[in-house]
Amino acid sequence: MDVGASLTWTSPALPYLTSENSTIPLSNAQGALLAASSSISGIIALLMCPLIMDQIGRKYTILVLGFIQLLSKICIYVAHNYTFLFILRLLVGVGTTGMIAFLALYIGEIAAENIRGRFLILNKICVNLGSFLMAIAGAFLPYNPMNIVAITIPLIAMLLFPIMEETPYYYLMKGQEKEATETLTKLSGEKSVEIVTANIERMKSAILEGQNSKKSSFRELFSDRSSRRALIIKMIKKFLATVVHP
């Protein structure tokens, strides 16, 4: 929901910020750049998060992203100049893009196969709910109360998310099979030791296959014709979404 609210924030905020009543007067060009800033900085998150998620875990990576979101929203509430606001929106881009990419990974690693799709769909529904909530807040509330609503969403998430479990995949990557087994048993509610053990072995095989293919995956992004085309299409799509419809 915080991702959706963050992506929609500029729609209700820019009419105020570019108006005569704004405490941070912006030109139309500055407003457009402010709207596009989060898409630009999202590249940083996509480069940064893979480096830290295997070091500190999926759960704590999401908590770091959530803290970035919460801190940036609080600072936006007290921001009084364009430069500071622009930097904060860059931080928001890091948090939202990282969350879009790696919350889905987290869900995929903790959810059983028969319900994984439902959680991923619910994830997308929550993004839309967050967008709707921010649009409603912007329509009926002044600028500062609207920002308080924006702060509330990541605050609730940060208070609740620590009760979540780390993923069994991460524990297995670190050689902590006992913790992985305990976590998988708790997440699945499965009481059969044989079934849990079989799932653990399947995860270990998947991790081993991933490690064997990791060395060539980045090179194949450019050398493989289909992957290269997909990369070009994705870059064009992102460019158009940023420039044409900031």
Side-chain angles (χ1 to χ4, degrees):
M1 288 183 68
D2 182 55
V3 168
S6 299
L7 295 174
T8 307
W9 178 86
T10 52
S11 293
L14 285 181
Y16 166 77
L17 292 171
T18 55
S19 70
E20 296 179 354
N21 299 324
S22 174
T23 55
I24 315 174
L26 305 184
S27 66
N28 290 332
Q30 287 176 322
L33 186 58
L34 188 69
S37 60
S38 59
S39 296
I40 298 170
S41 61
I43 298 171
I44 299 173
L46 295 176
L47 295 174
M48 174 188 70
C49 290
L51 300 177
I52 67 172
M53 70 176 185
D54 288 344
Q55 301 300 319
I56 66 175
R58 280 70 163 141
K59 174 182 176 179
Y60 288 104
T61 298
I62 293 174
L63 283 172
V64 168
L65 293 169
F67 178 76
I68 291 173
Q69 287 290 85
L70 179 59
L71 180 63
S72 61
K73 301 293 177 60
I74 293 173
C75 292
I76 285 174
Y77 178 76
V78 300
H80 291 294
N81 64 76
Y82 170 73
T83 302
F84 189 35
L85 189 60
F86 180 80
I87 293 172
L88 293 171
R89 284 298 297 176
L90 289 175
L91 283 177
V92 169
V94 172
T96 54
T97 305
M99 201 67 75
I100 289 171
F102 298 102
L103 185 58
L105 173 67
Y106 177 80
I107 292 172
E109 292 190 359
I110 67 166
E113 292 181 3
N114 60 327
I115 60 172
R116 188 175 300 155
R118 302 175 200 172
F119 277 106
L120 292 173
I121 291 173
L122 180 62
N123 186 29
K124 301 301 182 182
I125 291 173
C126 287
V127 172
N128 290 324
L129 285 175
S131 296
F132 177 73
L133 177 62
M134 183 52 57
I136 292 296
F140 293 99
L141 296 175
Y143 178 73
N144 283 334
M146 179 193 72
N147 284 326
I148 292 177
V149 174
I151 292 170
T152 303
I153 301 174
L155 177 61
I156 294 174
M158 292 291 289
L159 291 175
L160 294 178
F161 198 77
I163 67 176
M164 295 296 294
E165 300 286 343
E166 182 55 82
T167 74
Y169 281 90
Y170 174 73
Y171 284 130
L172 289 175
M173 288 174 59
K174 295 300 180 181
Q176 301 174 335
E177 188 168 336
K178 178 182 178 182
E179 289 81 356
T181 303
E182 293 174 351
T183 301
L184 182 60
T185 302
K186 186 183 298 185
L187 289 170
S188 64
E190 182 60 62
K191 299 185 183 298
S192 172
V193 177
E194 291 78 9
I195 294 178
V196 173
T197 302
N199 286 331
I200 288 293
E201 292 301 320
R202 176 179 56 80
M203 291 180 185
K204 288 167 67 175
S205 298
I207 291 171
L208 183 60
E209 290 177 5
Q211 290 174 341
N212 290 336
S213 63
K214 187 177 293 186
K215 294 181 180 179
S216 61
S217 60
F218 187 77
R219 178 180 58 81
E220 288 176 357
L221 185 62
F222 300 95
S223 61
D224 180 71
R225 185 178 182 184
S226 298
S227 298
R228 189 167 59 248
R229 285 182 174 180
L231 176 63
I232 293 172
I233 291 171
K234 181 65 177 178
M235 291 176 67
I236 293 174
K237 177 181 177 294
K238 192 67 175 177
F239 174 79
L240 292 175
T242 303
V243 176
V244 178
H245 185 62

